[in-house]
Amino acid sequence: MDSKTKNRPQTLPEGARPTLKTIAFMTGLGITTVSRALKDAPDIGAETKERVRLVAKQIGYQPNRAGVRLRTGKTNVISLVLTLEEEIMGITSPMVVGITEILAGTPYHLVVTPYSAVKDALAPIRYILDTGAADGVIISRTEPHDPRVALLTERGLPFVTHGRTEMGIVHPYHDFDNERFAYEAVRKLVARGRRKLVLLEPPPHLTFYSHMRAGFERGLRDFQADAVSFHQTNIDHSLVEIRDAFEVLMRSADAPDGIVSGSGSGAIALIAGLEMAKKKLGEDCDMVSKSPSDFLRWLRPEVMTMYEDIRIAGRELAKAVIGHIDGQPPETLQSLSQPEFQPPITRGLRA
Amino acid sequence: MDSKTKNRPQTLPEGARPTLKTIAFMTGLGITTVSRALKDAPDIGAETKERVRLVAKQIGYQPNRAGVRLRTGKTNVISLVLTLEEEIMGITSPMVVGITEILAGTPYHLVVTPYSAVKDALAPIRYILDTGAADGVIISRTEPHDPRVALLTERGLPFVTHGRTEMGIVHPYHDFDNERFAYEAVRKLVARGRRKLVLLEPPPHLTFYSHMRAGFERGLRDFQADAVSFHQTNIDHSLVEIRDAFEVLMRSADAPDGIVSGSGSGAIALIAGLEMAKKKLGEDCDMVSKSPSDFLRWLRPEVMTMYEDIRIAGRELAKAVIGHIDGQPPETLQSLSQPEFQPPITRGLRA
DNA sequence: CTTCAAATCTGTAACGATACAGTTGTGATG
DNA sequence: CATCACAACTGTATCGTTACAGATTTGAAG
């Protein structure tokens, strides 16, 4: 046998999915040549590349992920790391949709890697690092000093955070501008004549807690309103807990006349507490709420909502991880989405 | 060199993740022996197995997924196939949570494979089949004659459906008993003195359309109520479309006094339409709605809801695909979740 | 007619795991 | 003391891909 064609396949299995070997056989080229032709390497002739590409397309060649992964370590996987607990109000759905919309145009697959917040948030990160399970990671619920960010940075695995950190590490992120949300919320409430305001805040250990508080307090100063203290519960508590704590507050002498709710589901509980205290939303009290979905606007149009578009967040996050993987500088992969008040649902027919 | 130890590794890279080779080196055994010891093969000595297992555990060995996948074709992946469009009301979140809860105890990863319903629902299935991307598939929104089920069955790829089919193929499924839901809904409404009932139904091409209709009609017969025709919209239409169509109906002479809503978000739109027609829920009209989340119960306690626990559905689906992969007969992997009316939210303090 | 560089193509080895077909050693059997 | 069954272990080839180090051809320069 000619040594030049020593490694050429003799027979090919019928009906199996095509590999480089298949194309090598069909074009009469070597496997290496085919591989390099498909990656547009400079040492392959233009006409050869064309031929290879044509055949590859014809037979529907798609590189075997396991082969690539074994040889190169490239997984073509983006891992979305989630707490099982945070997902109750359904933030995941639009997020997953947004991410997959972007990944659809790439070779990346989305793998969901959950963890129980009760346990160690670092566990899934370690797993991914130790097993090389992904090329990039998306994490959320960031803390000012987030050990996950430290670890990922140290080990050089590309990632993006939903939320910022404060640890002097420049990394890709997407965030909702919670400072401005709270600030604008206060402005709106004061414009309605409200002066005693309360904030249903995020849990204190998360970064956006201080953002939201800062915006709230800046608003109070700029628009001259007072804060009513309400630290008994936060948006991570159960709806029943929030409701009951808020009922107590609303029955007290210190009852607020304006509410800023840091979450859409929290708003539901606040409304319930308020009504149990025999107050009426829109009369005794106004409310501005962050809202990732539509139901508040439909069912409680008297609540003023600022929409947090989680789907767009998902798209931004996906673009940012991929950018990071592709070596773009982290400072170019940071974005902040600006809150805007939602218009009321159109009330007329044929809206 | 001794031929018996010809393939033994001489040196091992520092700090790299352990492989079978590492264990082989440390135990002084051959790679094959280590591999077989870890799978508890019958031709390996008990003491050897014990030693290998101990070392593997010590150094934190985890099989390289790419290696396994390349050699055996086993991907250890379950693919959740979703329409981008259906996800608006957030059914995905609890579903993903439920699935991952089950997968956490297994070697399986969850990969989300989206498709645009506008295009071909078969496309993602074909992709998975052609590229061998998963060991099992979870699909939803089944039709009576579902080409995806036909294709997956024909090609022998394990799967489970969220929803049933009617094509004479016995396959794993999990479903919500929509027939009973509608039947019980009618019973409840009639018990409240309602006699002119309307159904906001699923889109006609999906299997559970006929289930829900059948239950509705059986209820009408058994409890002697009348149907008000309302086929202008279904739960897949936009909230605005549903609202406007329903307002027209409520203003007509034929206005119903009882509503059965096949979806929680649809219920929102119905309420809006009803109120635009100057009717009052709980007085002019009662409503029973299916609901995958809590917000209706909180915000509109006058709506009677039957909870569809999507998280549990996710768990059932995950268990069923894995069972199918493991070769359990399909007929043992079918389950139906029974609707139950939800109790009202407790109104007292310290509930 | 060498020589040599550039252009184009190629074989081999390796990634980590496993199927398969051995090999070795032990002790029982005749 | 052969023979043989059996237990315990092992080497080789392979999955599909790519890095690397050649190999071959061509044509221009000397």
Side-chain angles (χ1 to χ4, degrees):
Chain A
M1 185 190 296
D2 190 347
S3 95
K4 186 179 166 177
T5 57
K6 197 154 38 145
N7 78 339
R8 302 304 165 75
Q10 259 57 66
T11 60
L12 285 175
E14 286 297 309
R17 72 177 280 210
T19 68
L20 290 179
K21 211 187 213 166
T22 318
I23 302 177
F25 179 73
M26 294 176 76
T27 54
L29 294 163
I31 295 177
T32 303
T33 311
V34 174
S35 172
R36 297 187 55 67
L38 287 174
K39 350 189 90 55
D40 202 21
D43 64 347
I44 305 294
E47 195 214 301
T48 304
K49 284 181 190 170
E50 206 40 64
R51 251 177 62 226
V52 169
R53 275 196 281 259
L54 186 73
V55 173
K57 185 159 194 180
Q58 281 289 331
I59 64 178
Y61 169 74
Q62 294 193 263
N64 180 305
R65 308 189 119 231
V68 175
R69 180 164 173 176
L70 182 57
R71 179 68 238 248
T72 65
K74 173 109 189 169
T75 62
N76 285 307
V77 161
I78 302 293
S79 186
L80 173 63
V81 177
L82 294 176
T83 5
L84 292 176
E85 284 81 8
E86 82 181 298
E87 301 317 317
I88 317 245
M89 256 327 278
I91 193 179
T92 312
S93 288
M95 178 105 156
V96 165
V97 170
I99 295 171
T100 52
E101 277 172 355
I102 298 298
L103 297 192
T106 75
Y108 292 103
H109 283 182
L110 177 66
V111 171
V112 178
T113 307
Y115 68 99
S116 172
V118 182
K119 302 184 185 173
D120 190 1
L122 272 177
I125 307 295
R126 271 199 254 272
Y127 172 81
I128 293 167
L129 285 167
D130 290 349
T131 64
D135 296 335
V137 176
I138 301 175
I139 61 181
S140 52
R141 294 178 65 86
T142 50
E143 306 180 6
H145 286 82
D146 200 303
R148 300 168 299 174
V149 170
L151 184 57
L152 287 164
T153 304
E154 179 199 326
R155 304 278 285 269
L157 182 63
F159 67 97
V160 62
T161 59
H162 189 205
R164 282 163 285 176
T165 58
E166 292 162 6
M167 47 207 304
I169 294 178
V170 179
H171 63 81
Y173 67 76
H174 176 80
D175 204 354
F176 180 77
D177 193 340
N178 285 287
E179 205 274 347
R180 235 194 98 197
F181 156 73
Y183 184 79
E184 295 300 330
V186 172
R187 181 207 299 277
K188 188 76 139 199
L189 290 169
V190 170
R192 297 222 161 191
R194 305 305 184 179
R195 283 288 184 289
K196 295 177 63 180
L197 309 187
V198 73
L199 174 67
L200 177 65
E201 57 201 17
H205 62 283
L206 299 184
T207 311
F208 79 115
Y209 167 82
S210 50
H211 295 159
M212 200 180 283
R213 277 228 72 89
F216 185 66
E217 273 147 25
R218 185 163 67 90
L220 295 177
R221 284 195 306 277
D222 285 6
F223 307 119
Q224 290 150 35
D226 293 315
V228 173
S229 167
F230 185 60
H231 304 287
Q232 295 89 321
T233 60
N234 63 53
I235 61 175
D236 266 13
H237 286 93
S238 76
L239 298 191
V240 169
E241 286 172 304
I242 296 173
R243 180 199 63 185
D244 291 349
F246 197 64
E247 183 193 358
V248 171
L249 181 67
M250 288 306 290
R251 285 187 191 280
S252 74
D254 209 26
D257 60 5
I259 310 170
V260 181
S261 170
S263 91
S265 51
I268 293 176
L270 294 174
I271 293 170
L274 179 143
E275 290 178 349
M276 279 166 58
K278 307 273 189 271
K279 309 274 176 157
K280 198 149 186 317
L281 194 63
E283 292 177 12
D284 308 294
C285 207
D286 275 318
M287 171 148 112
V288 175
S289 177
K290 204 161 102 170
S291 176
S293 67
D294 250 359
F295 63 87
L296 265 182
R297 234 163 105 225
W298 279 84
L299 291 179
R300 293 296 168 132
E302 58 278 30
V303 177
M304 295 163 278
T305 56
M306 294 189 116
Y307 183 51
E308 177 174 14
D309 194 331
I310 306 287
R311 178 168 174 172
I312 298 229
R315 305 172 79 138
E316 291 302 314
L317 290 168
K319 282 191 233 159
V321 225
I322 293 180
H324 202 186
I325 293 172
D326 291 346
Q328 293 169 33
E331 59 272 23
T332 65
L333 300 169
Q334 305 177 330
S335 60
L336 209 52
S337 100
Q338 288 306 321
E340 268 176 49
F341 279 104
Q342 290 184 287
I345 301 278
T346 333
R347 306 302 287 183
L349 278 175
R350 310 279 101 222
Chain B
M1 186 191 296
D2 190 348
S3 96
K4 186 179 170 178
T5 58
K6 198 154 37 147
N7 76 337
R8 303 304 164 73
Q10 259 57 66
T11 60
L12 284 175
E14 286 295 308
R17 70 179 282 210
T19 68
L20 290 180
K21 211 189 218 164
T22 318
I23 303 177
F25 179 72
M26 295 176 74
T27 54
L29 295 163
I31 295 177
T32 303
T33 311
V34 173
S35 172
R36 296 187 56 67
L38 287 172
K39 349 189 89 55
D40 203 24
D43 63 350
I44 305 293
E47 195 214 299
T48 304
K49 283 181 190 169
E50 205 41 62
R51 250 176 63 227
V52 169
R53 274 196 283 257
L54 186 73
V55 173
K57 187 160 193 182
Q58 280 291 331
I59 63 178
Y61 169 74
Q62 294 194 262
N64 180 305
R65 309 187 118 231
V68 175
R69 180 164 173 176
L70 182 57
R71 180 66 239 248
T72 65
K74 174 106 187 170
T75 62
N76 285 307
V77 161
I78 301 293
S79 187
L80 173 63
V81 178
L82 293 176
T83 6
L84 292 176
E85 285 80 8
E86 82 181 296
E87 300 317 315
I88 315 241
M89 257 325 279
I91 194 178
T92 312
S93 288
M95 179 104 159
V96 165
V97 169
I99 295 171
T100 53
E101 277 173 355
I102 298 299
L103 298 193
T106 75
Y108 291 103
H109 284 182
L110 176 66
V111 171
V112 178
T113 307
Y115 68 99
S116 173
V118 182
K119 302 183 183 173
D120 189 0
L122 271 178
I125 306 295
R126 269 199 256 271
Y127 171 82
I128 293 167
L129 286 167
D130 289 349
T131 64
D135 296 336
V137 177
I138 300 175
I139 60 180
S140 52
R141 294 179 65 87
T142 50
E143 305 180 8
H145 285 82
D146 200 302
R148 299 168 301 172
V149 170
L151 185 57
L152 286 164
T153 304
E154 179 198 326
R155 304 278 286 269
L157 183 63
F159 68 98
V160 62
T161 58
H162 189 205
R164 282 162 286 176
T165 59
E166 292 163 2
M167 48 208 301
I169 295 178
V170 179
H171 61 82
Y173 67 77
H174 176 79
D175 203 355
F176 179 79
D177 192 340
N178 285 286
E179 204 274 348
R180 233 193 100 195
F181 156 73
Y183 184 78
E184 295 300 330
V186 172
R187 181 207 299 275
K188 187 78 140 197
L189 291 168
V190 170
R192 297 222 160 193
R194 306 305 185 180
R195 283 289 182 288
K196 294 177 63 181
L197 309 187
V198 72
L199 173 68
L200 178 64
E201 59 201 16
H205 62 284
L206 300 184
T207 312
F208 78 115
Y209 166 83
S210 49
H211 296 159
M212 200 180 283
R213 277 229 72 89
F216 185 68
E217 273 149 25
R218 185 163 68 91
L220 294 177
R221 282 195 307 277
D222 285 6
F223 308 118
Q224 291 151 35
D226 292 316
V228 174
S229 166
F230 184 59
H231 305 286
Q232 296 88 322
T233 60
N234 63 53
I235 62 174
D236 267 11
H237 285 93
S238 76
L239 298 190
V240 169
E241 286 173 304
I242 296 172
R243 180 198 62 185
D244 291 349
F246 197 64
E247 182 192 1
V248 171
L249 181 66
M250 287 307 288
R251 285 186 190 282
S252 73
D254 209 24
D257 59 6
I259 310 169
V260 180
S261 170
S263 91
S265 51
I268 293 176
L270 294 175
I271 293 170
L274 178 143
E275 291 178 349
M276 279 166 57
K278 307 273 187 271
K279 307 275 176 154
K280 199 148 184 317
L281 195 61
E283 293 178 13
D284 309 293
C285 206
D286 276 317
M287 171 148 111
V288 174
S289 177
K290 202 161 100 169
S291 177
S293 66
D294 252 358
F295 64 87
L296 264 182
R297 232 162 108 226
W298 280 84
L299 292 178
R300 293 296 169 133
E302 59 279 27
V303 177
M304 295 163 278
T305 55
M306 294 188 118
Y307 184 49
E308 176 174 16
D309 193 331
I310 306 289
R311 178 168 173 172
I312 298 225
R315 305 172 77 139
E316 291 303 313
L317 290 168
K319 282 190 233 160
V321 225
I322 293 180
H324 202 186
I325 293 172
D326 291 345
Q328 293 170 33
E331 58 272 23
T332 65
L333 301 168
Q334 305 177 329
S335 59
L336 209 52
S337 99
Q338 287 306 320
E340 268 176 49
F341 279 105
Q342 290 184 288
I345 302 277
T346 334
R347 304 304 284 184
L349 278 174
R350 311 278 101 222

